[in-house]
Amino acid sequence: MQPETLITITTEIHQLSALLNDCVSSGASLGLLAPLESGEAEDYWQAVGGECQQGHRQLLLTREEGKITGAVQISYCTRINGRHRAEVEKLMVHSAYRQRGIGWLLIAEVENQAAARQRTLLVLDTRSNDIASLLYVKAGWQQAEQVSVHWQRIQRVISCYVRSSRFSVTGCIWRS
């Protein structure tokens, strides 16, 4: 199974929406609350598709027997002073396909794609002590900060992780 880049979302919107619904319903830390409202997943993917078309975002996914099993996004900073960095967003693996190395494949491909675009600093945030945070640490990411976040009556502690491929990380500033 090799991750692929998806540029046109329209042909896959139903599978992507099913993936997003599955992950949100199973408690994944994606910044969305379960249950998703009707059409919310499709609207989300339409917005992602627009950013992919503009080249500001890249959507990577995995498939098994034609079914989308996982996805992750890379958001490329376009400002002149930020063209060395990118943010990793929404790493998702369908609940029926977890613990098979799909998350590992996706995060490795994120690093390959970012390096191909000369992005030397990757950042992400995830819920602290989440299963995803264990994956990032095993993949060599460094926890830079933990922050307490209040959002829609929910209090969570999230962690900011960084991965620098060519430079040492000298500091990370997080302001809440």
Side-chain angles (χ1 to χ4, degrees):
M1 176 182 330
Q2 187 66 22
E4 63 184 82
T5 297
L6 187 64
I7 297 171
T8 304
I9 298 221
T10 53
T11 58
E12 305 292 351
I13 197 153
H14 297 298
Q15 282 198 60
L16 289 166
S17 296
L19 174 66
L20 183 59
N21 276 303
D22 173 76
C23 291
V24 170
S25 295
S26 63
S29 176
L30 297 172
L32 300 164
L33 295 176
L36 295 180
E37 295 181 19
S38 177
E40 187 175 358
E42 290 84 0
D43 291 345
Y44 171 79
W45 288 114
Q46 290 289 353
V48 168
E51 291 183 16
C52 288
Q53 290 288 331
Q54 295 171 356
H56 305 304
R57 181 175 300 273
Q58 188 174 10
L59 175 60
L60 305 173
L61 54 87
T62 55
R63 296 179 195 266
E64 190 170 304
E65 297 179 2
K67 181 177 179 177
I68 294 175
T69 57
V72 66
Q73 299 167 48
I74 311 168
S75 177
Y76 295 101
C77 185
T78 58
R79 291 186 299 279
I80 191 77
N81 68 343
R83 293 191 182 143
H84 65 288
R85 69 179 182 261
E87 184 172 357
V88 179
E89 299 177 2
K90 309 280 190 276
L91 175 62
M92 297 179 257
V93 176
H94 193 283
S95 60
Y97 295 89
R98 291 184 184 153
Q99 301 301 312
R100 297 185 188 184
I102 293 171
W104 187 266
L105 281 172
L106 287 167
I107 203 67
E109 186 62 17
V110 161
E111 293 178 11
N112 291 336
Q113 292 293 322
R117 291 192 183 200
Q118 291 80 47
R119 303 303 167 122
T120 56
L121 178 65
L122 297 173
V123 297
L124 63 84
D125 64 71
T126 190
R127 187 171 45 216
S128 293
N129 300 317
D130 192 80
I131 193 163
S133 63
L134 299 174
L135 168 70
Y136 302 131
V137 170
K138 286 181 182 179
W141 289 65
Q142 298 173 17
Q143 182 175 329
E145 186 65 66
Q146 279 192 334
V147 181
S148 181
V149 175
H150 301 275
W151 179 67
Q152 294 192 5
R153 298 168 299 195
I154 297 172
Q155 179 177 353
R156 289 207 172 128
V157 176
I158 63 169
S159 296
C160 173
Y161 288 86
V162 296
R163 175 93 165 142
S164 182
S165 60
R166 291 180 177 77
F167 306 112
S168 62
V169 177
T170 56
C172 183
I173 299 172
W174 185 283
R175 183 174 176 163
S176 57

